[in-house]
Amino acid sequence: SALAHRWLDGLRGVEIGGAAHNAFGLDTINVDRSRDMDTVYKREELVLAGVAMAVDVVAEGDDLPFPADAFDFVLASHVLEHLPDPIRALREWQRVARRYLFIVLPHRDRTFDHDRPVTPLDELVQRHADGLRSREDRHWTVWTGESFLALCAHLDLPVLDYQDPDDKQGN
């Protein structure tokens, strides 16, 4: 991703749920909820890339074991839709990152979610107010670029750059 390298080259970061078949080639440690190499995701990595990315730190994506401002950036590609409370995740990533959050989301119209409605902002706010937590692995949130930008605006989270589709995998 030229966009990722424009903003993140020369910086140190943490990647949430990194995958060998979607490697960014940046200076990151990989955080995932398990070291298990026999998950649906790790098996997919093996099929697509012939290897699976090692997990450096085991933690939930929205509850990181790092102090505030521990990294220059947090990178999450195809992760946020799997977390029931994306506001909690964004706030946690914002806590850990000194400079940037770099987020790639699957666009509803270009995924198997194409028949689902976009998740409304008020539902995301309610999930956060309710403290929704779950280990169920599914797409909790259906995104478009516009819906994510609306959430960022609601959270006063500045957006410095934006692509639709992204320059890496066309999401």
Side-chain angles (χ1 to χ4, degrees), residues 61-72:
D62 59 0
D63 189 17
L64 302 175
F66 308 117
D69 299 327
F71 294 91
D72 294 311

Side-chain angles (χ1 to χ4, degrees), residues 128-140:
H128 184 66
D130 293 344
L132 181 61
R133 306 284 291 159
S134 176
R135 288 195 48 91
E136 181 183 355
D137 186 18
R138 65 182 180 98
H139 281 195
W140 286 87

Side-chain angles (χ1 to χ4, degrees), residues 12-39:
R12 177 90 171 122
V14 58
E15 183 169 2
I16 311 298
H21 65 282
N22 189 28
F24 282 80
L26 297 164
D27 184 9
T28 59
I29 63 168
N30 185 24
V31 173
D32 210 321
R33 66 188 331 190
S34 170
R35 283 193 203 282
D36 186 356
M37 289 293 162
D38 190 28
T39 66

Side-chain angles (χ1 to χ4, degrees), residues 47-162:
V47 168
L48 295 173
V51 300
M53 187 179 286
V55 174
D56 299 304
V57 175
V58 174
E60 292 295 323
D62 59 0
D63 189 17
L64 302 175
F66 308 117
D69 299 327
F71 294 91
D72 294 311
F73 66 89
V74 171
L75 165 64
S77 179
H78 291 258
V79 171
L80 195 58
E81 67 276 12
H82 292 273
L83 300 171
D85 180 357
I87 294 173
R88 175 186 165 98
L90 289 167
R91 290 298 189 213
E92 177 67 351
W93 300 347
Q94 190 176 26
R95 181 188 70 78
V96 170
R98 283 188 292 272
R99 298 179 71 181
Y100 305 119
L101 304 183
F102 193 91
I103 299 164
V104 180
L105 297 169
H107 190 287
R108 179 208 50 202
D109 298 340
R110 296 187 283 275
T111 70
F112 57 81
D113 287 326
H114 61 88
D115 288 332
R116 294 178 60 195
V118 172
T119 307
L121 178 60
D122 62 338
E123 180 180 326
L124 301 176
V125 170
Q126 189 61 54
R127 285 187 210 164
H128 184 66
D130 293 344
L132 181 61
R133 306 284 291 159
S134 176
R135 288 195 48 91
E136 181 183 355
D137 186 18
R138 65 182 180 98
H139 281 195
W140 286 87
T141 306
V142 178
W143 301 101
T144 61
E146 294 78 15
S147 70
F148 184 68
L149 291 173
L151 176 60
C152 291
H154 175 79
L155 298 175
D156 292 322
L157 192 60
V159 176
L160 303 178
D161 217 332
Y162 169 77

